Structures are given as structure tokens and as C-alpha cells.
Amino acid sequence: MAKTTHPDQHLIDGLVSHEATAINEIYKRCASKVKSYIVFNNGSVDDAEDIFQEVLVDIYNQAKYKHLQLTCPFEPFMLMVCKRKWLNALKKKSLLQVTNNEDDLLSVGEDTFLMAEQLEAQNEKARIFLDAFKKLGDRCQEIIKGSLQNDGQEILAQTLGVTYGYLRKKKSECMASLYKMVQAKLGNHGER
Amino acid sequence: MANDKILQTARYVEGDMDDKESLAYETQLAADPELQQYLANYREINLSLAMQFADNTALKEVLAPLNGKYFVARQKVPIWKWLSRVAAVLLFGLLIWAPWRAKNLADKYAINAKMEIVERGNTNEDLETEVANYFNQGNFKKALPLLEKLHKAHPEDAFNTYFYAITLAKTHKTTQAINLFENLFAGNSVYKEDAAYQLAIIYLQQKNNAQAKKWLAKISPENLRYEAAQEIINELK
């Protein structure tokens, strides 16, 4: 059964359309809490600012490109995602013991936790895709990145000094190589 | 075979097939769940990379002034003010906390929590600033009624609830503090496991080691209090 979209969805819609009122409301509701949590847990105000902005950009991208629909209140969702991102950052700095303890996931079932989990999973996949991309040759990277960033592939072909047909063929080969690397990393068909 | 399907999928999506090949691919696609999965995964990779390569400059420009407004480090306090505050805290500590007493585990591992004073632009802003000032000065008697008011107005606000519970504990209203910390632990806020730690500290103060250990055991290894929790558990053995 499809879940109902939460009324706070207007905050995400506002974020996507750069609406000052909605973005202000997000900061008013969440900024002080995220700051308190991070400063309270071995971080600085600058760390809090970075984490807050990174999470907003993540949410923005998920909403803009993947039509993220909020099924829980925005505030706990934002706080949960910031908390997880900060804990991951601490783990990378080796300030926290890295663990696969499943106890932390026992409370999953709440919409907030589920949405935070989904966003984290998307980010983890994105990291794997980007790692694979970086292992491609320079020419492949140039073609894939250029075609994803530019409006017209014909213009890209001209810029790269190749024919449009060659560009499509080369991009297919490059993307197939990328897919195979992702598949090798994730197993099966590249699913997780 | 799998490699063929991946390349065919890439060629299909990138428009590198002629009409005849495209039609053949679509016919196979309709009857081949594996190929459908390849196509879905291919589109996911493509979209994810497009997201990562997207230019978010415009969004960051919108966020920049708000970051400046909401993430400002507290102003540095002049040294004389700082020294007078330290003296006041020491005097307060001498009178109330009697630091000459033997340090117990609760004292050793207590969290020195601070309320961050940040402009939130809501109707309670002045009240919250006043509370934070009292709390951070250690004036829990003055902070208590204000936090109670904030908590009653917004019982769902985990931030205020957490600091209200600490203040209750500091003013020896232990039963109420325990109830609030237990409620926080039952919820899913970012203060969930910190509440468990605070409960453990309260039970340590009461010399109820069994309850203290019970709450310390609930703190997961990814929590910052985990190492302290484990040290206390070891000291209690």
C-alpha cells in the first residue's frame, strides 16, 4: 500500500525550487538542533554547518532527480540523517569504533528511520558508482561526465572532436564497463 | 551472455541501436526479467552519476547566508569575564557539589552538557536564550521553570525535553527526570542513547549499580558514550 505523503513535503518542494520561505523554515526548525547535537558530540560549529548543508544537498538531489516523497515529519528525518552522517564522519576520523552491530537497527520500522535508511542507502550506492567511475580511463570519464552535464550530446561531440555516432558508441562501451565494475562490487546484476 | 546484455542495454539507452535492433531489444525485454533488471540498474547508475555531477552552485548560494546566520560560533568571551565566570563556577561547585568529597563514578563520568544558544526565529526564541544562559551558568533553579514551560508547550521537542530532564536531575527531582529520560529512550530522537547514559548516571548516584549497568548496556558501539559506558561497566564488576 502506498504511504501518504506528509504535509511537510512542502519544505522539500520549496528546497527544490529554492523558495526562501521554505528554506528559512528548515533552518529555523532544524539548524539549532543539528548544531547542538554535533557540538555535543565532539564536533565544531563548522562541522555542523558542513553536515547540515551536505544533507540538504542530498535531500535536494533525491527530490529533484528521484522525486523523494516525505512520509514522515521533516524535522526528525533531517536530524536523523544529520546524526548518521556525523557518526559516519567520526568513524572515518577513527574517533568511533567501526562496527556492524545490528542492535542499532532494531528500531527500524518507524517511517523516519526508514526514510533515513533509504537516503543513506542511496548515498552508499552513489559512492560505489562514483568509485567505479573513477576507475575508468580518462577518455571514458570525460565522455560520461560531459554527456551527463551537457544539454546536448551533439555539442559535446563537437567539443571532443568526434562524431555524434562515435560519441554514442563510445559512451555505451564506457557505461557498460562501469556497469560491470559495479556488478562485480555488488554482485548479481548490480542490485543491492 | 551477461556481458552481451549489459552492452546491449547500454547501446539501447544511449541511442546507439538502429530501429531494427531497438525493436528486437524491446521484444526481448518484454519477456526477460533479467534484462529488465539490467535496464533498471543501468538507469539508476546513470541517474545517480547525473546527480553527483550536477552543478549545485545555485542552491549553495541560497544556503550560504542562512549558514552564516544559523551556524555562528559563540563569541569569544573576554578573559576577565571568563575568569570571573570560572571563579563563580568554582565557588558554586565548592558550596553545592563539595568537590573535596571522594569522586565516585557518577561524578567521573557525568556529561557536562551545554545548551547551544542559536537564533531559531520562533516565538520562544527569547525564552530559549534565557534558559540556555541559566543552564550554561549552572543556575538550574532558574532554568527549571522556564524549561518546564517550554516542555509543556512542545512536549514533542526532544531538545528541550532532554535539557529539562537534566535540569530536573540537577535539582534533585529525580523521579521526574527518570520518567522523561525513559520517554526519550523510548522514542527515536537523536538524544535516545544519551538519555540511557543519563539514566545510568542517575542510578550510579543512587548506588543502584544493577540499574546503571542495565542502561549502560543499551548504548550501542557507534555512540560516543559507548567507551565510557563500557569503562563504567568494567569498574562495576
Side-chain angles (χ1 to χ4, degrees):
Chain A
M1 192 174 70
K3 291 193 172 173
T4 316
T5 302
H6 193 276
D8 283 351
Q9 177 69 29
H10 79 276
L11 294 174
I12 291 184
D13 296 340
L15 180 67
V16 172
S17 51
H18 298 182
E19 268 177 39
T21 315
I23 297 175
N24 254 314
E25 193 177 338
I26 290 173
Y27 274 82
K28 279 179 190 170
R29 284 200 200 176
C30 309
S32 66
K33 291 173 185 176
V34 171
K35 182 179 166 185
S36 278
Y37 179 79
I38 290 176
V39 171
F40 191 53
N41 287 285
N42 280 3
S44 66
V45 176
D46 288 345
D47 292 327
E49 181 180 337
D50 291 345
I51 292 287
F52 195 83
Q53 177 162 306
E54 281 176 28
V55 169
L56 279 184
V57 171
D58 286 345
I59 293 173
Y60 171 85
N61 281 329
Q62 289 293 328
K64 185 175 175 183
Y65 293 93
K66 296 191 174 178
H67 310 291
L68 172 74
Q69 290 295 305
L70 199 64
T71 55
C72 63
F74 183 82
E75 193 174 318
F77 167 62
M78 179 80 190
L79 296 181
M80 186 56 60
V81 177
C82 286
K83 177 189 170 184
R84 286 170 178 236
K85 208 175 214 8
W86 177 239
L87 290 175
N88 283 333
L90 287 179
K91 278 179 191 171
K92 280 183 190 163
K93 290 180 189 172
S94 304
L95 288 175
L96 271 182
Q97 185 182 344
V98 179
T99 176
N100 290 322
N101 194 326
E102 293 295 318
D103 289 347
D104 189 48
L105 302 178
L106 290 178
S107 50
V108 168
E110 293 288 333
D111 281 351
T112 304
F113 270 77
L114 278 175
M115 288 214 64
E117 288 280 334
Q118 283 165 6
L119 189 64
E120 197 176 16
Q122 295 281 344
N123 285 341
E124 176 58 15
K125 271 189 179 180
R127 189 189 60 74
I128 290 168
F129 299 160
L130 193 63
D131 283 349
F133 170 82
K134 287 174 181 169
K135 287 178 185 159
L136 292 169
D138 291 345
R139 191 63 164 172
C140 271
Q141 288 192 29
E142 192 178 23
I143 287 172
I144 291 175
K145 192 170 183 178
S147 64
L148 291 173
Q149 283 180 323
N150 284 294
D151 292 333
Q153 292 202 29
E154 289 184 34
I155 296 169
L156 177 67
Q158 281 177 8
T159 309
L160 297 176
V162 296
T163 64
Y164 181 41
Y166 174 83
L167 181 74
R168 285 186 305 190
K169 181 178 168 54
K170 190 68 185 168
K171 190 189 171 194
S172 303
E173 290 169 3
C174 294
M175 283 296 290
S177 300
L178 173 65
Y179 189 123
K180 286 171 201 167
M181 279 192 269
V182 171
Q183 188 181 36
K185 177 79 179 172
L186 299 179
N188 298 326
H189 305 116
E191 297 171 73
R192 284 197 95 194
Chain B
M1 186 63 182
N3 286 348
D4 285 350
K5 284 186 178 179
I6 292 169
L7 185 58
Q8 291 308 307
T9 299
R11 291 187 61 222
Y12 174 73
V13 176
E14 303 305 334
D16 188 35
M17 284 181 168
D18 59 30
D19 291 347
K20 191 178 166 187
E21 284 178 305
S22 285
L23 192 62
Y25 181 88
E26 285 165 5
T27 305
Q28 189 186 349
L29 185 67
D32 185 347
E34 190 180 49
L35 194 60
Q36 291 164 15
Q37 189 63 56
Y38 280 126
L39 181 60
N41 293 343
Y42 186 93
R43 287 186 164 141
E44 185 185 9
I45 294 169
N46 213 36
L47 188 58
S48 176
L49 288 175
M51 280 167 56
Q52 292 182 78
F53 298 146
D55 182 4
N56 291 319
T57 310
L59 175 67
K60 287 178 181 172
E61 281 174 1
V62 174
L63 302 182
L66 291 163
N67 285 337
K69 181 178 174 185
Y70 286 93
F71 290 93
V72 183
R74 276 179 291 177
Q75 287 183 333
K76 285 184 181 174
V77 179
I79 189 72
W80 64 271
K81 274 194 180 176
W82 183 80
L83 286 171
S84 64
R85 285 181 191 177
V86 169
V89 168
L90 287 174
L91 183 62
F92 182 78
L94 281 168
L95 295 173
I96 305 297
W97 297 106
W100 53 84
R101 281 190 226 140
K103 285 276 180 195
N104 59 26
L105 283 175
D107 292 335
K108 184 178 171 187
Y109 287 99
I111 301 174
N112 183 24
K114 290 285 178 198
M115 284 184 86
E116 281 298 322
I117 310 165
V118 180
E119 188 184 347
R120 293 164 70 177
N122 59 30
T123 52
N124 291 321
E125 196 173 295
D126 291 342
L127 184 58
E128 288 176 353
T129 304
E130 194 181 356
V131 168
N133 282 331
Y134 284 136
F135 185 95
N136 294 339
Q137 287 163 12
N139 193 341
F140 300 113
K141 278 190 179 173
K142 289 220 169 171
L144 184 64
L146 304 181
L147 275 165
E148 184 179 13
K149 189 176 171 184
L150 284 172
H151 176 67
K152 278 186 177 167
H154 297 285
E156 77 289 352
D157 188 323
F159 175 79
N160 287 331
T161 305
Y162 180 70
F163 285 95
Y164 178 40
I166 291 175
T167 306
L168 284 167
K170 294 280 190 188
T171 49
H172 309 294
K173 295 178 172 51
T174 315
T175 308
Q176 282 177 268
I178 287 174
N179 283 340
L180 283 183
F181 281 133
E182 286 183 349
N183 287 343
L184 276 173
F185 184 79
N188 288 321
S189 76
V190 292
Y191 297 103
K192 182 182 175 75
E193 293 193 7
D194 287 330
Y197 189 88
Q198 294 283 11
L199 280 164
I201 296 294
I202 289 175
Y203 285 118
L204 282 175
Q205 287 164 342
Q206 296 177 344
K207 310 289 183 200
N208 186 343
N209 293 350
Q211 278 292 320
K213 280 197 274 190
K214 182 188 118 180
W215 285 103
L216 290 168
K218 294 178 190 295
I219 296 167
S220 65
E222 76 165 15
N223 191 284
L224 279 174
R225 315 284 167 213
Y226 178 74
E227 283 184 16
Q230 293 303 306
E231 283 175 24
I232 301 171
I233 290 171
N234 285 333
E235 292 203 40
L236 290 175
K237 276 179 184 170

